[in-house]
Amino acid sequence: MKIIAVDAGKHATKAVAASGEKTLFRTKSTHLTTSLDIEAAGNSHKVIYEEDTFIIGDQGEYVDYSLEKNTLLHKMAIYTAAYRLGCKGDIAAVIGCPTNIYLSKDNRKEFQDNIKQTPKKFVVDGKLQNIKFSRVLIMPESSGVVYTNKELFIGKRVGVIDLGGRNMNFGIYDNLMPQPSSMMTTNQGSMHIEAMVKRKFEAMYKRGLSPRDIEDIIENGGMKYQGKVAPESQKALSEIYMSYADEVVSNLKKEFPIDLMDIVVTGGTSLLVENAIKQIMPHAQMVNDTQWTNVKGFLEIGKVKFK
């Protein structure tokens, strides 16, 4: 039975297999109809799920902004990730979810049961797939780093700030062991940054900006006009990152004595705000390969749990 781990975030889906494969694609979809029927291009796939057809991946246009993880889009992303890892037949998988979902036994089981419920039909790029999630373990999204960077946690009390696409997950680990009362989720992922960018830049430039425009501003490090990034937009973006980091840290300080413990920051959004975080909280430790840290940690758990 193939062992895999999947972190299907709001922004991107990351997955790795014990056999060494890894994959990453955007968690986006476009629902195809008789009047809109195209072939997948780029880092995307044409997927038939049950009786409906979708584009899944970078070419998709729909992004799920909800707080829920137990959705059709995320289920299709998880199954597509398994396909991209070369899975056939029975699979054992560790799958991440926000801390607030993980803490509820009922929500955790509902998510687990949904993933294990095999669709009647799952076709990727014209090929019928036989993928069955026979064993599924749900883990909190902030926990993977504990298993990939044990040296940062052994014999210490450490707060983990996991900055994702939709959420910020936090938890305190005492000598590797999670402290349940400290585990929490807020809506402070990269989508929060995107909302801040939209408000500020629309006011600055007096024009409406689409979600794709916002992504371009972040990717380019500022507003590109006639092929050049405007210097004032670079400064504005830096100010947004600083404001975001200050908001995250200030809110955590209201609940936890984070100045009195080691802090580890992980998640793809940390790549955007690393400098800002370090200015506000100099003792924060950024981890290498941060976008993959959680899912690689989940895989280490799976190798033990699914022996």
Side-chain angles (χ1 to χ4, degrees):
M1 185 183 299
K2 191 160 188 170
I3 299 174
I4 69 170
V6 185
D7 180 8
K10 294 290 182 178
H11 180 79
T13 295
K14 290 83 64 181
V16 293
S19 48
E21 301 94 335
K22 62 188 291 189
T23 188
L24 181 149
F25 56 93
R26 287 294 307 275
T27 312
K28 300 197 297 181
S29 69
T30 295
H31 189 186
L32 301 183
T33 63
T34 53
S35 60
L36 176 64
D37 189 1
I38 60 175
E39 296 305 313
N43 191 26
S44 307
H45 298 278
K46 190 172 187 177
V47 169
I48 300 175
Y49 182 93
E50 304 283 5
E51 300 302 323
D52 292 316
T53 305
F54 302 84
I55 296 292
I56 300 293
D58 296 10
Q59 190 184 9
E61 296 181 308
Y62 168 72
V63 178
D64 179 11
Y65 290 100
S66 74
L67 301 178
E68 183 58 67
K69 203 54 154 309
N70 193 15
T71 67
L72 177 59
L73 173 56
H74 285 88
K75 183 173 182 177
M76 289 192 296
I78 290 167
Y79 271 74
T80 301
Y83 159 78
R84 289 175 64 137
L85 294 175
C87 295
K88 295 179 181 179
D90 291 330
I91 310 167
V94 182
I95 299 173
C97 74
T99 297
N100 60 340
I101 294 176
Y102 176 80
L103 290 175
S104 166
K105 182 178 179 180
D106 290 341
N107 289 341
R108 198 164 65 239
K109 187 176 186 306
E110 182 181 2
F111 185 32
Q112 180 186 56
D113 289 346
N114 185 30
I115 299 303
K116 292 174 74 173
Q117 185 175 356
T118 306
K120 297 174 182 177
K121 182 195 294 184
F122 183 63
V123 179
V124 181
D125 296 335
K127 299 175 182 177
L128 182 64
Q129 300 301 310
N130 174 28
I131 295 174
K132 181 176 176 59
F133 284 82
S134 299
R135 301 181 67 184
V136 174
L137 177 65
I138 305 298
M139 291 297 294
E141 289 172 346
S142 62
S143 64
V145 66
V146 179
Y147 299 91
T148 54
N149 295 266
K150 288 184 178 181
E151 71 281 0
L152 299 177
F153 294 87
I154 294 175
K156 302 175 184 178
R157 184 172 64 142
V158 182
V160 175
I161 302 173
D162 176 30
L163 302 174
R166 183 68 177 88
N167 302 317
M168 185 281 293
N169 291 288
F170 178 79
I172 297 174
Y173 294 80
D174 193 346
N175 193 26
L176 299 173
M177 295 179 293
Q179 306 300 293
S181 62
S182 71
M183 300 173 78
M184 60 177 287
T185 300
T186 68
N187 308 329
Q188 292 174 305
S190 64
M191 291 180 182
H192 186 54
I193 294 176
E194 290 170 3
M196 296 170 74
V197 170
K198 181 177 176 64
R199 287 195 299 270
K200 190 175 187 71
F201 278 69
E202 285 187 341
M204 283 179 62
Y205 292 96
K206 297 179 175 60
R207 62 186 299 169
L209 297 170
S210 70
R212 190 67 185 92
D213 293 329
I214 302 301
E215 288 185 13
D216 284 343
I217 290 170
I218 293 172
E219 290 172 6
N220 295 326
M223 173 79 85
K224 184 178 282 189
Y225 181 72
Q226 294 184 343
K228 296 181 179 180
V229 176
E232 69 273 11
S233 71
Q234 293 176 307
K235 180 181 178 183
L237 192 58
S238 295
E239 290 172 351
I240 288 171
Y241 290 161
M242 185 63 69
S243 177
Y244 166 82
D246 183 62
E247 181 181 329
V248 169
V249 173
S250 296
N251 287 345
L252 286 173
K253 283 183 176 180
K254 293 176 184 177
E255 301 288 336
F256 309 102
I258 58 176
D259 287 332
L260 304 181
M261 65 183 78
D262 289 355
I263 297 294
V264 170
V265 183
T266 186
T269 301
S270 69
L271 297 171
L272 294 177
V273 297
E274 179 176 354
N275 291 335
I277 290 285
K278 292 293 288 184
Q279 287 186 54
I280 293 170
M281 193 166 45
H283 71 293
Q285 173 74 52
M286 306 288 174
V287 297
N288 295 326
D289 206 20
T290 186
Q291 192 171 24
W292 292 93
T293 296
N294 267 324
V295 73
K296 287 183 176 180
F298 297 157
L299 184 62
E300 295 305 310
I301 298 169
K303 289 176 181 178
V304 175
K305 293 289 186 181
F306 298 136
K307 277 185 177 179

